[in-house]
Amino acid sequence: MVRNTTDETNGYHVEISVGDNEGWLAYNTFRFEDVAPGTTVEQSSLVGGSHLGPTPDEPKIFIEKIDVF
């Protein structure tokens, strides 16, 4: 979810990771285009997969990078 608190329409590129600080780690990227001033937009997605093993009981979410365009 991003909120545009500026007076201009912006785009946002957000990279996140989800992990357990013990080896389980998954990444995802979200791209929000043309977010109008004063609005909030959101996207959802599944992160990870069976190839990573069981999902952590207490996953931690990290914002790796945010670019505004």
Side-chain angles (χ1 to χ4, degrees):
M1 177 183 304
V2 296
R3 178 166 177 77
N4 183 353
T5 59
T6 71
D7 293 332
E8 299 177 6
T9 298
N10 289 316
Y12 300 88
H13 180 256
V14 181
E15 295 178 13
I16 60 115
S17 65
V18 180
D20 65 358
N21 288 337
E22 295 178 13
W24 194 99
L25 186 63
Y27 295 90
N28 208 345
T29 301
F30 298 90
R31 187 171 178 89
F32 303 90
E33 295 188 21
D34 300 322
V35 181
T39 62
T40 301
V41 294
E42 65 180 86
Q43 294 178 16
S44 62
S45 176
L46 297 176
V47 178
S50 60
H51 65 287
L52 294 173
T55 304
D57 290 331
E58 296 183 35
K60 295 169 180 49
I61 300 171
F62 302 93
I63 306 297
E64 301 290 344
K65 181 179 182 181
I66 299 174
D67 290 323
V68 179
F69 59 92

